[in-house]
Amino acid sequence: QVELAESGGGLAQAGGSLRLSCAVSVGSGKILNLYAMGWYRQGPGNQRELVADINSAGSTNYAEPVKGRFTISRDNAKNTVYLQMNSLKPEDTAVYYCNADLVFTDWMGTPIAGKDFWGRGTQVTVSS
């Protein structure tokens, strides 16, 4: 019922930029509160790792390899989180996943709290 739809991935050259978006929706229910949202990535042969996250107050946290190059932001009115990626490097190549914690209602209006909802991922490939 909860869907996280990522978009914006693709192919970029080293030094280039991409912007990822992730929109959260809940089918026939509605979102009551959208808490922490984040971006993770999983490169070939690697485990999934945190890239950046942002809480409901707008406080952000970045993994060391992306500090100063990536910026996470959110639009609460649109239930959307973004990841602006600049100065891309080949080692940024990975599938990028969106993650969110939220409270929403089902089709009957019953509140449901859930953590760690995931999107299906979007491929980012950076060529040298």
Side-chain angles (χ1 to χ4, degrees):
Q1 184 176 6
V2 176
E3 181 180 4
L4 279 66
E6 300 112 332
S7 61
L11 177 65
Q13 290 188 333
S17 298
L18 286 173
R19 188 189 193 213
L20 306 183
S21 299
C22 172
V24 183
S25 61
V26 293
S28 57
K30 66 176 183 178
I31 296 172
L32 297 180
N33 282 296
L34 195 54
Y35 295 112
M37 304 181 76
W39 288 96
Y40 290 71
R41 67 186 181 186
Q42 186 167 13
N46 295 331
Q47 291 187 332
R48 192 173 296 187
E49 61 180 9
L50 174 70
V51 176
D53 59 27
I54 182 168
N55 66 17
S56 57
S59 294
T60 59
N61 175 53
Y62 295 92
E64 198 63 38
V66 308
K67 282 183 179 178
R69 300 188 297 122
F70 291 9
T71 301
I72 189 171
S73 62
R74 61 192 285 168
D75 184 334
N76 292 327
K78 296 182 178 179
N79 296 321
T80 300
V81 62
Y82 305 96
L83 186 68
Q84 177 67 42
M85 304 185 294
N86 298 329
S87 302
L88 283 162
K89 303 176 181 180
E91 50 264 44
D92 294 320
T93 295
V95 178
Y96 283 70
Y97 297 91
C98 177
N99 175 277
D101 300 339
L102 66 151
V103 176
F104 63 98
T105 64
D106 64 11
W107 65 279
M108 294 181 63
T110 303
I112 301 171
K115 289 179 63 67
D116 285 336
F117 290 100
W118 293 94
R120 294 185 178 183
T122 184
Q123 177 70 47
V124 170
T125 302
V126 183
S127 62
S128 57

